[in-house]
Amino acid sequence: SAHTDSDASDAYNQELSSKREAAVMNYLVESGAKQTMIMGSHHGEGAPKADNSTSAGKAQNRRVEIKLDAPD
């Protein structure tokens, strides 16, 4: 899932996180992952990991998280 800090508008951050998600998914597919095995999501600034009032917190919130599940 792709995330942003809260520096820009909600709409801008939603678009930015969507682009981050797409970039990571494209990289994974180009690296050999099967498209059908990848699911993505983007949250904009809606799921912060850290405090957006500090530079360090903002840096932690600009992220893409990947979860791997074993095949059935």
Side-chain angles (χ1 to χ4, degrees), residues 27-66:
Y27 173 80
L28 292 172
V29 170
E30 289 170 3
S31 296
K34 292 181 181 181
Q35 178 88 34
T36 57
M37 300 294 289
I38 301 172
M39 292 176 28
S41 63
H42 49 279
H43 302 280
E45 62 189 65
K49 183 176 190 172
D51 187 351
N52 270 312
S53 68
T54 67
S55 294
K58 288 178 186 180
Q60 289 180 31
N61 290 330
R62 294 185 297 266
R63 69 193 189 282
V64 174
E65 297 176 341
I66 298 173

Side-chain angles (χ1 to χ4, degrees), residues 13-25:
N13 285 333
Q14 195 65 30
E15 179 67 23
L16 178 59
S17 66
S18 176
K19 289 178 180 179
R20 283 188 178 147
E21 171 202 355
V24 170
M25 291 181 68

